[in-house]
Amino acid sequence: ATQMNAAGAAFSAGSTYRLAMRVAANDGRYCQGGTLATLDNSVTVPNAPDRIILGQRYNLGGFQAFGYLSEFAIIPGAVSDANLQRLAA
């Protein structure tokens, strides 16, 4: 099941965006272009996560990104809101 997604982010065709996301138990937030989204405090974390899906909403089987990712990184530990903003600016 989806634990956290950035489905609320608005994207325009032909544009480039930077997005950073933090996912932890009861603490999920994404930041697009330096603007923080509302905190999701209902995130549950599986005991043994087995996948990260980028570019498609797993639970609905659609909503493809129709774009490309130029950079992806997993940063261990919880990233602060300020660092999310820095990473996505």
Side-chain angles (χ1 to χ4, degrees), residues 26-49:
N26 300 319
D27 182 19
R29 189 185 305 258
Y30 70 88
C31 183
Q32 176 185 335
T35 302
L36 289 169
T38 303
L39 178 68
D40 181 348
N41 60 4
S42 64
V43 176
T44 57
V45 179
N47 289 334

Side-chain angles (χ1 to χ4, degrees), residues 2 9 17-18 20 30-31 41-42 49 52 54 57 62 65 72-73 75-77 79 82 86 88-89:
T2 299
Y17 298 93
R18 290 186 63 94
Y30 70 88
C31 183
N41 60 4
S42 64
I52 296 173
L54 302 170
R57 288 200 48 200
F72 176 78
I75 300 170
V79 177
R86 183 183 58 78

Side-chain angles (χ1 to χ4, degrees), residues 9-19 32-33 65-70:
F11 302 105
S12 299
S15 298
T16 302
Y17 298 93
R18 290 186 63 94
L19 183 75
Q32 176 185 335
F66 296 109
Y68 64 91
L69 301 171
S70 64

